[in-house]
Amino acid sequence: PITPSFVIRHSIPPSSRLPMPSKKSRPPAAPRTRLSIPEYAMALAHVASLRSEDPYRKVGAAALDFDNRVIGTAYNGLDAGYNPPPGFWDDREARQKFMLHAEVNLCSLFRRGEAKIVATTTMPCTACMQTLCAYGIREIYYQEIYEASDAPEIVELYGIKLEQVTDFPVSVVQT
């Protein structure tokens, strides 16, 4: 083994040493200035929803990986590049079947098992919840309840966390 030929010692006078916190005591909690992970994901989903071309329901979604890094964001709308004919948006019932849901668009951005968290501005419909389950999502956060969805029953069966997030700070400055 190599042994050093010299040793450097730093001498700090006892009066200038900082007290070491004991393992039992913790420093006081700082004021909350940071979004929680669900709030962060929901804020991203909200921003994505602003891109939706649907005049009736704007839905956004965001996916985070197991390190809480953003995988992608998506929103509901028509297939990319499709230019609807005049009057297309007038009849909500007639055009609804052509809309691609935010969750489906989001899942096209990653492979199964890559995402842990998905946040959506509206609770996923039954078909979207089934898709999220198939992609291995473990936590799903939503803002608005979608009454026609069987999502709560599906997540209960598969042991997936489904939680409503209603409070998250989103400020938009309008000029």
Side-chain angles (χ1 to χ4, degrees), residues 115-156:
K116 174 186 170 191
I117 296 172
V118 165
T120 63
T121 55
T122 301
M123 178 189 288
C125 69
T126 300
C128 285
M129 184 56 72
Q130 292 168 335
T131 300
L132 294 173
C133 289
Y135 272 80
I137 308 303
R138 303 309 312 152
E139 298 176 30
I140 300 165
Y141 299 96
Y142 66 94
Q143 182 183 11
E144 297 173 20
I145 295 174
Y146 182 52
E147 296 292 340
S149 177
D150 292 323
E153 188 178 348
I154 294 168
V155 297
E156 185 177 338

Side-chain angles (χ1 to χ4, degrees), residues 3 17 36 39 47 54 71 75 83-84 86 88-89 100 107 124 126 137 143 147 154 159 167 174:
T3 56
R17 290 184 187 148
S36 68
E39 290 169 337
V47 170
D54 187 336
I71 295 174
Y75 50 90
N83 192 9
F88 179 83
W89 297 107
L100 304 178
C107 287
T126 300
I137 308 303
Q143 182 183 11
E147 296 292 340
I154 294 168
D167 275 340
Q174 296 184 2

Side-chain angles (χ1 to χ4, degrees), residues 81-96:
Y82 178 73
N83 192 9
F88 179 83
W89 297 107
D90 297 342
D91 186 349
R92 184 176 185 200
E93 294 298 318
R95 62 123 184 109
Q96 201 167 11

